[in-house]
C-alpha cells in the first residue's frame, strides 16, 4: 500500500498536476494526524472519566498516540513544501506572479503590501494572524504539545505495568486533564489553520467543532476496526461484544453530533444569506462537486443511523466492521469536501473529481499508518495494561 501511494504521488507530480497532488497530500496528512490525535483523546477521556469498561483496550489507542510524532512531521513537511514550492499564476487574481501550491489565498508574495498588484485588503487585515512564520509556529506547537502529552500518557501506562500501585495511574489522570484542557482550546485553531485558511476570505465559528466531530468519529472507527481485526487474528481475545457495543454506541452518538454540526453550519449560512459566507457552500454546489457534497451527508449520517441504531447491530462484529469501513471512507470524503474546492477548484465532471491520484494517496497513507501503528503496538510487553487498577472491571464488563 505504501508503494502504491508513492507511485501515485509520483504520477501526480510527473503529470504536472502539482496543485491537486499537494491538496491530496494535505488531506491525507491531516487525516493521518487527526486519527493519531484521536487515540490520545480517547485515552485521556477514559482516564479523566475513570472509566472501567475501556481499560483492557487502551493499548490500541496508545499505539495511535505513539505514531503521532511521525504523523506530525509528515504533515509539517507537506505544509512547508506546499507553502514554499510555487507555480505560475493561472488566473486573473494572481496573473504575472507565482503562487504557492497550498494556502494561495493568503500566502502569495505582496498580498499585504499596498500598491502591489496582489494586494488584498481583507487578507491584509488578517495578516497579524495569517502570516507564514506565525502559521508554521502554531501548527508545530499544536502537534508538538499533543505528541508530548500523548507520549507521557503512554509512558506512565507502561511504568504502571512494571511498578503497579496508583502512582502512575494518578499521573496519567493529571496529564489527561492537562491534555483535555489544551486540546479543547486548540483543536478548533488547528482546524482553522490547517483547513479553513485554505479559503481565507471565509470563516465559520462552527468549523473547528465540526472538524473535532469528524476527528472523533473517524478516529473511533479506526480504533474499532483495528480492535476487530486484531481480535480476528487471535489477539485481544478478552474483548467481548459488550466492549464493541460501547464503541458502536460512541460511533453512533457522535455521528449524530457530527450531523448536527454539519446541518447547523449549513442552515445558519443559508438563512443569513451573506455573500461572503454563502460562497463556501455555493462553491460546493457547483456541478463538479455537488454529487460528492450530498453523498458526504448520506454516508456519514444515514450509515450510522440505519446500520448502528439497534442494539443487535452494535454487537454484530461483521456489521460493525462494515460500518467502520464506510465511515472511514465517508470522513475521508468529508475532508476532501473541505479541502479540494478551495485548494484546487473544479477540474472536470463531479464523478471524475475523485480518481487514481486520490485512491493511491489514500492507500499509501493507510499503509503508512498501519505499519507504524502495528509496529508501535508490537513494542508493548502486554496488549492489556495488566496492572491498571480498573482492568478487572473491564475484563468482566457486561451490559
Amino acid at each position: 500500500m505504501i508503494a502504491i501511494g508513492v507511485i501515485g504521488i509520483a504520477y501526480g507530480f510527473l503529470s504536472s498536476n502539482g496543485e491537486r497532488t499537494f491538496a491530496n497530500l494535505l488531506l491525507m496528512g491531516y487525516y493521518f494526524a487527526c486519527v493519531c490525535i484521536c487515540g490520545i483523546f480517547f485515552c485521556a477521556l477514559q482516564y479523566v472519566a475513570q472509566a472501567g469498561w475501556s481499560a483492557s483496550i487502551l493499548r490500541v489507542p496508545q499505539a495511535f498516540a505513539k505514531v503521532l510524532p511521525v504523523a506530525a512531521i509528515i504533515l509539517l513537511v507537506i505544509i512547508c513544501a506546499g507553502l514554499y514550492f510555487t507555480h505560475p499564476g493561472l488566473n486573473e487574481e494572481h496573473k504575472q506572479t507565482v503562487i504557492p501550491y497550498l494556502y494561495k489565498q493568503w500566502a502569495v508574495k505582496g498580498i499585504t503590501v499596498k500598491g502591489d498588484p496582489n494586494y488584498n485588503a481583507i487578507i491584509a487585515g488578517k495578516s497579524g494572524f495569517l502570516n507564514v512564520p506565525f502559521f508554521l509556529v502554531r501548527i508545530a506547537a499544536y502537534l508538538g504539545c499533543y505528541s508530548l502529552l500523548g507520549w507521557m500518557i503512554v509512558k506512565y501506562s507502561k511504568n504502571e505495568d512494571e511498578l503497579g500501585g496508583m502512582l502512575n495511574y494518578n499521573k496519567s489522570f493529571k496529564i489527561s486533564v492537562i491534555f483535555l484542557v489544551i486540546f479543547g482550546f486548540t483543536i478548533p485553531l488547528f482546524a482553522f489553520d490547517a483547513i479553513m485558511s485554505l479559503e481565507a476570505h471565509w470563516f465559520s465559528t462552527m468549523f473547528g467543532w465540526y472538524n473535532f466531530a469528524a476527528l472523533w468519529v473517524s478516529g473511533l472507527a479506526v480504533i474499532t476496526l483495528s480492535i476487530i481485526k486484531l481480535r480476528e487474528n487471535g489477539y485481544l481475545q478478552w474483548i467481548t461484544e459488550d466492549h464493541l457495543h460501547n464503541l458502536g454506541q460512541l460511533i453512533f452518538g457522535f455521528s449524530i453530533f457530527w450531523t448536527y454540526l454539519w446541518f447547523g453550519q449549513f442552515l445558519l449560512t443559508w438563512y443569513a444569506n451573506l455573500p461572503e459566507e454563502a460562497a463556501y457552500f455555493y462553491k460546493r454546489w457547483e456541478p463538479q462537486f455537488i454529487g460528492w457534497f450530498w453523498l458526504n451527508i448520506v454516508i456519514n449520517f444515514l450509515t450510522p443511523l440505519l446500520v448502528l441504531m439497534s442494539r443487535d447491530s452494535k454487537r454484530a462484529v461483521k456489521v460493525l466492521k462494515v460500518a467502520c469501513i464506510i465511515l472511514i471512507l465517508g470522513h475521508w470524503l468529508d475532508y476532501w469536501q473541505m479541502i479540494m474546492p478551495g485548494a484546487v477548484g473544479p477540474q472536470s465532471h463531479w464523478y471524475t473529481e475523485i480518481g487514481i491520484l486520490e485512491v493511491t494517496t489514500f492507500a499509501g497513507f493507510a499503509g503508512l499508518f498501519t505499519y507504524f501503528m502495528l509496529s508501535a503496538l508490537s513494542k508493548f510487553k502486554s496488549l492489556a495494561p495488566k496492572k491498571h487498577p480498573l482492568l478487572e472491571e473491564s475484563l468482566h464488563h457486561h451490559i
Side-chain angles (χ1 to χ4, degrees), residues 24-325:
N24 275 284
L25 287 170
L26 176 65
L27 190 164
M28 288 311 306
Y30 183 74
Y31 199 168
F32 186 9
C34 284
V35 167
C36 294
I37 293 167
C38 179
I40 304 172
F41 180 67
F42 183 92
C43 293
L45 203 60
Q46 305 312 309
Y47 278 115
V48 171
Q50 298 182 340
W53 73 272
S54 58
S56 62
I57 67 173
L58 286 178
R59 286 291 185 248
V60 173
Q62 284 176 359
F64 288 29
K66 290 175 72 174
V67 179
L68 180 57
V70 176
I73 291 169
I74 291 172
L75 180 57
L76 283 168
V77 168
I78 291 168
I79 289 173
C80 289
L83 281 167
Y84 288 104
F85 283 92
T86 58
H87 63 99
L90 299 176
N91 54 44
E92 289 299 321
E93 185 181 359
H94 298 303
K95 203 170 183 180
Q96 307 299 327
T97 189
V98 292
I99 59 175
Y101 281 105
L102 295 175
Y103 308 106
K104 57 191 175 186
Q105 278 201 7
W106 60 269
V108 175
K109 187 177 180 181
I111 201 165
T112 60
V113 180
K114 283 188 178 181
D116 191 282
N118 293 322
Y119 177 71
N120 184 302
I122 295 173
I123 302 302
K126 300 181 179 184
S127 62
F129 188 79
L130 282 181
N131 61 81
V132 171
F134 189 31
F135 173 81
L136 292 176
V137 167
R138 290 197 306 274
I139 296 282
Y142 305 144
L143 294 171
C145 190
Y146 301 156
S147 297
L148 175 62
L149 293 171
W151 174 80
M152 293 176 74
I153 289 172
V154 175
K155 176 190 173 185
Y156 293 141
S157 179
K158 290 168 71 176
N159 289 347
E160 183 180 79
D161 276 3
E162 296 174 5
L163 302 175
M166 292 295 293
L167 176 64
N168 284 288
Y169 180 82
N170 291 333
K171 287 181 179 179
S172 296
F173 179 91
K174 292 174 184 176
I175 292 299
S176 296
V177 171
I178 294 169
F179 171 81
L180 290 178
V181 171
I182 293 172
F183 178 83
F185 279 106
T186 59
I187 198 64
L189 299 175
F190 179 51
F192 292 164
D193 283 336
I195 306 299
M196 195 170 78
S197 70
L198 289 166
E199 298 176 73
H201 288 183
W202 175 82
F203 66 92
S204 165
T205 54
M206 297 182 71
F207 189 83
W209 300 114
Y210 172 66
N211 265 259
F212 160 71
L215 174 155
W216 185 219
V217 174
S218 58
L220 283 169
V222 177
I223 289 170
T224 306
L225 183 63
S226 300
I227 289 170
I228 290 172
K229 292 302 294 181
L230 286 163
R231 192 166 170 258
E232 287 176 349
N233 284 276
Y235 303 96
L236 305 178
Q237 291 302 299
W238 54 86
I239 303 298
T240 66
E241 292 177 350
D242 298 289
H243 296 97
L244 296 177
H245 186 166
N246 279 112
L247 290 166
Q249 284 179 316
L250 288 170
I251 292 170
F252 172 75
F254 282 96
S255 291
I256 305 304
F257 177 64
W258 173 89
T259 308
Y260 163 73
L261 291 170
W262 182 95
F263 183 70
Q265 182 172 257
F266 176 74
L267 177 68
L268 293 174
T269 303
W270 172 81
Y271 185 79
N273 199 27
L274 300 173
E276 65 271 23
E277 294 184 12
Y280 179 84
F281 288 102
Y282 185 82
K283 187 180 291 184
R284 284 151 181 80
W285 278 17
E286 290 181 346
Q288 293 84 357
F289 296 113
I290 192 166
W292 302 116
F293 178 85
W294 290 116
L295 184 61
N296 178 35
I297 188 67
V298 167
I299 292 176
N300 292 309
F301 172 54
L302 289 184
T303 296
L305 182 70
L306 300 179
V307 176
L308 293 179
M309 181 178 282
S310 70
R311 173 185 170 89
D312 290 343
S313 64
K314 298 184 193 74
R315 303 174 74 84
V317 177
K318 289 183 179 178
V319 173
L320 188 58
K321 180 165 71 171
V322 170
C324 288
I325 292 169

Side-chain angles (χ1 to χ4, degrees), residues 295-364:
L295 184 61
N296 178 35
I297 188 67
V298 167
I299 292 176
N300 292 309
F301 172 54
L302 289 184
T303 296
L305 182 70
L306 300 179
V307 176
L308 293 179
M309 181 178 282
S310 70
R311 173 185 170 89
D312 290 343
S313 64
K314 298 184 193 74
R315 303 174 74 84
V317 177
K318 289 183 179 178
V319 173
L320 188 58
K321 180 165 71 171
V322 170
C324 288
I325 292 169
I326 292 171
L327 285 172
I328 289 166
L329 296 174
H331 282 288
W332 173 87
L333 179 60
D334 186 25
Y335 288 132
W336 185 89
Q337 274 282 307
M338 293 182 212
I339 291 170
M340 288 297 170
V344 180
Q347 293 188 318
S348 54
H349 302 291
W350 75 269
Y351 47 83
T352 59
E353 285 286 343
I354 294 177
I356 188 169
L357 179 57
E358 285 72 23
V359 173
T360 54
T361 307
F362 178 90

